Amino acid sequence: MFKKVAFIGAGSMAEAIMTGILAKGFLQSEQIWVTNKENKERLERLKNIYHVQCSMDKQKVVVEADVIILSMKPKDITEALHNIRQYIQPNQVVVSVLAGVSTGYISDQLEKNCPVVRAMPNTSATIGFSATAIAGGQYAEERHIESVKNLFQTIGTTTVVEENDLHAITGLSGSGPAYIYYFVEAMEEAASEAGLKQDVAKELIIQTLVGAAEMLKSSDEQPSVLREKITSPGGTTQAGLETLEKYKYQEAMMACIKQAAARSIELGSPYRSKTDKDN
Ligand SMILES: NC(=O)C1=CN([C@@H]2O[C@H](COP(=O)(O)OP(=O)(O)OC[C@H]3O[C@@H](n4cnc5c(N)ncnc54)[C@H](O)[C@@H]3O)[C@@H](O)[C@H]2O)C=CC1
Ligand SMILES: O=C(O)[C@@H]1CCC=N1
């Protein structure tokens, strides 16, 4: 379906997405082109591991790509777009995975009416388990969104949303895996303090997470009902949960997700367009 996909930015998110795409066999390594700002060693590394095409020559990377994936930090977006805009053709789909930055800003900077689509994946893309939200900008037609969906489906699930919802989604599922890893760090620490062997604890923790995730996926019951089924009155779970309540665990998690969404708005605020719908 795609002949060539170009990544502008060769960081951890670009690597996660290309790993997923290659693992699924959606594209061959010679169809993937990557460039970054100045770190040639990083490009060399990606070339050695994934055999993708790497170049500092932006024109070479962008030319004839069906899709151009912007994968730099928000602070680098303006310079990156200025470096590539003269090579971009109106039939190319520009996909941004950046937190906060609107499609309107990207279109303004490109000074072209080419389709711009935002995607908010997460690093579980590496193993094909990303939860990716997708939103089309002003010039993105149904067929463009569909083609981006097809691309991101190779790295997990996709959900088409309104662009305005992407701030909240970034705080929820874009950053989400980090909250889970942080939680696991605490479980590991507690296991270690209790004198459990590291490998034993690791296996038990991971299977507990996988089992709970599968229950959430396959059961019709609400999370609160699943929780209540574990909580025997006066038992161990109740004692544990009461401690979490004492530390205002739920309040802390909600504040965490809201703060991450607020940060997405903040990150995007220098990069606004008159056409942004939430103006
Ligand atoms: N890391 C994550 O879990 C997720 C990240 N994102 C978004 O993905 C984007 C990239 O994040 P990471 O990969 O974590 O960052 P990173 O710092 O690992 O990679 C950024 C890359 O962009 C390159 N770059 C900077 N300026 C450039 C320019 N002018 N031209 C070309 N390349 C340039 C850098 O050399 C580097 O290779 C961010 O905007 C972030 O909001 C979205 C979802 C999840
Ligand atoms: O921390 C960040 O800003 C990026 C966006 C979502 C996950 N990582």
Side-chain angles (χ1 to χ4, degrees), residues 7-17 34-39 42-43 46 56 58 70-81 83-84 96-101 119-124 170 173-175 177-178 267:
F7 285 89
I8 313 299
S12 48
M13 201 59 232
E15 185 172 0
I17 298 171
V34 194
T35 189
N36 69 354
K37 192 173 180 172
E38 54 212 6
N39 187 344
R42 169 75 181 156
L43 287 187
L46 292 180
M56 295 303 281
K58 307 284 180 285
L70 305 172
S71 46
M72 69 293 304
K73 297 281 191 204
K75 69 174 176 51
D76 295 314
I77 183 71
T78 311
E79 186 191 328
L81 291 174
N83 290 341
I84 59 168
S96 163
V97 299
L98 278 68
V101 180
M120 182 44 61
N122 62 40
T123 49
S124 305
T170 302
S173 53
S175 301
L267 283 172

Side-chain angles (χ1 to χ4, degrees), residues 9-176:
S12 48
M13 201 59 232
E15 185 172 0
I17 298 171
M18 76 178 71
T19 308
I21 290 173
L22 288 170
K24 282 275 158 69
F26 185 73
L27 294 172
Q28 301 303 308
S29 48
E30 60 272 14
Q31 295 174 284
I32 298 179
W33 283 72
V34 194
T35 189
N36 69 354
K37 192 173 180 172
E38 54 212 6
N39 187 344
K40 284 192 187 151
E41 280 164 26
R42 169 75 181 156
L43 287 187
E44 272 306 310
R45 201 179 147 261
L46 292 180
K47 192 176 173 170
N48 288 336
I49 300 174
Y50 304 104
H51 311 292
V52 290
Q53 312 285 323
C54 295
S55 173
M56 295 303 281
D57 180 342
K58 307 284 180 285
Q59 182 174 12
K60 217 165 148 186
V61 170
V62 163
V63 74
E64 284 176 3
D66 307 284
V67 177
I68 295 154
I69 303 182
L70 305 172
S71 46
M72 69 293 304
K73 297 281 191 204
K75 69 174 176 51
D76 295 314
I77 183 71
T78 311
E79 186 191 328
L81 291 174
H82 282 218
N83 290 341
I84 59 168
R85 73 175 165 200
Q86 66 265 42
Y87 311 123
I88 293 192
Q89 299 300 315
N91 63 329
Q92 293 178 304
V93 181
V94 176
V95 176
S96 163
V97 299
L98 278 68
V101 180
S102 71
T103 54
Y105 181 79
I106 295 168
S107 292
D108 289 354
Q109 296 301 308
L110 290 174
E111 296 175 336
K112 285 188 185 87
N113 298 351
C114 62
V116 180
V117 177
R118 278 177 65 189
M120 182 44 61
N122 62 40
T123 49
S124 305
T126 314
I127 53 157
F129 276 87
S130 173
T132 305
I134 292 172
Q138 193 183 0
Y139 306 110
E141 296 168 17
E142 206 46 52
R143 66 193 168 100
H144 301 123
I145 293 175
E146 211 41 48
S147 69
V148 175
K149 253 178 83 173
N150 287 336
L151 180 69
F152 280 86
Q153 256 157 20
T154 66
I155 58 159
T157 64
T158 56
T159 312
V160 177
V161 299
E162 292 294 321
E163 185 167 1
N164 284 346
D165 289 336
L166 282 178
H167 293 303
I169 287 167
T170 302
L172 189 69
S173 53
S175 301

